[in-house]
Amino acid sequence: MRIVSLNAWGGQCWEALADWLPAAAPDVLLLQEVTRAPVPSPDWLTYRDPYRQLDQRADLFGDICRLLPRHQPAFAAAARGTLQDAAGTEIPSEHGLGTWIAPHLAVTASLSRFVHGAFRADGWGEEPVPRTAQGFRLADPATGRALAVAHMHGLRDPSGKGDTSARRAQAEALLALVRDVAAPGDPLVVAGDFNLLPGAETFAILARAGLKDLVTSRGHKDTRTALYPKPGRFADYCLVTPDIPVAAFTVPAEPVVSDHRPLILDLA
């Protein structure tokens, strides 16, 4: 089984992502920063605020569904606001998490839940914006094995990536989701863009379930690509319990499919 986690950056590198993803052949694809179009939209829209302007795929969720047409899709919306088309017209857009699961895997339980705040229906608003997590219990009928997989997009805090009470509560909520979706004794995989530096309190909280990070423990020192110009190169993590049979774990810098690198976990 191959599990891939990636902050997709709203699909800003769509051409490269669309070329790479089918070849990457994920059995489970976990994407953060996913857009979904609740109304008919052009392919590209723009996000603008006083600090930045970002091109976004209008419907990255639909794009990936068309790219992986047999995978089982699930979207979890965190907020709905507006993006702008080329003429400056405001068009509704949703922002959240997406998961795609290969058809040969049985989804025996699924759960999405807010780990910070609640659905924001009236615009993006100020930071911190609401955050969701998704969790799934998967069974492979061919092998008889089961495991639980979860991911989240962690809080962005303009003051930095340090520990806060909100991040502590977020980690507790993520741990509760993982325990709720898993069956007793299930191997666990938890991944995503945590927006944290190594050593954050979140990792001690997740360690209560036996989860240990593969990024830092295997010597990876960067989860960002050349498109990210700032220092502090850690953001993305993949945690597993000791009973996960890790065959390989890679964090490739190329091809550049986002300002984040993908995390690729292969199970034996």
Side-chain angles (χ1 to χ4, degrees), residues 39-62:
V39 301
S41 304
D43 288 344
W44 289 94
L45 296 172
T46 302
Y47 170 85
R48 291 184 176 88
D49 66 23
Y51 310 102
R52 53 189 171 167
Q53 175 175 316
L54 302 172
D55 291 332
Q56 306 273 278
R57 291 294 291 180
D59 189 14
L60 183 59
F61 182 71

Side-chain angles (χ1 to χ4, degrees), residues 48-242:
R48 291 184 176 88
D49 66 23
Y51 310 102
R52 53 189 171 167
Q53 175 175 316
L54 302 172
D55 291 332
Q56 306 273 278
R57 291 294 291 180
D59 189 14
L60 183 59
F61 182 71
D63 291 334
I64 301 294
C65 288
R66 287 183 285 275
L67 203 62
L68 302 174
R70 299 195 64 238
H71 279 56
Q72 305 166 76
F75 180 75
R80 179 180 289 196
T82 59
L83 303 177
Q84 296 181 0
D85 66 11
T89 303
E90 302 283 341
I91 297 178
S93 175
E94 286 183 353
H95 187 275
L97 302 178
T99 299
W100 291 261
I101 298 168
H104 71 277
L105 296 172
V107 179
T108 62
S110 63
L111 182 62
S112 65
R113 181 182 293 166
F114 281 85
V115 293
H116 179 83
F119 179 67
R120 188 179 287 176
D122 57 354
W124 313 121
E126 296 183 359
E127 299 281 4
V129 298
R131 297 297 195 190
T132 60
Q134 290 180 304
F136 303 86
R137 186 173 190 266
L138 308 177
D140 186 346
T143 64
R145 294 193 301 183
L147 76 160
V149 180
H151 73 127
M152 76 165 181
H153 185 192
L155 284 167
R156 180 181 179 274
D157 189 329
S159 66
K161 295 183 176 180
D163 291 328
T164 64
S165 59
R167 284 180 167 139
R168 181 180 307 116
Q170 172 185 256
E172 296 283 4
L174 176 62
L175 180 59
L177 178 144
V178 171
R179 286 175 165 164
D180 286 347
V181 81
D186 277 350
L188 307 176
V189 178
V190 177
D193 172 8
F194 287 9
N195 267 320
L196 295 171
L197 297 177
E201 181 183 18
T202 290
F203 300 104
I205 292 170
L206 296 178
R208 293 183 210 151
L211 288 157
K212 181 178 180 180
D213 173 50
L214 295 177
V215 172
T216 53
S217 67
R218 297 199 168 205
H220 299 283
K221 300 185 184 301
D222 197 337
T223 67
R224 307 303 296 252
T225 68
L227 296 178
Y228 184 78
K230 302 176 186 178
R233 309 290 299 179
F234 287 98
D236 309 270
Y237 300 91
C238 181
L239 294 82
V240 300
T241 48

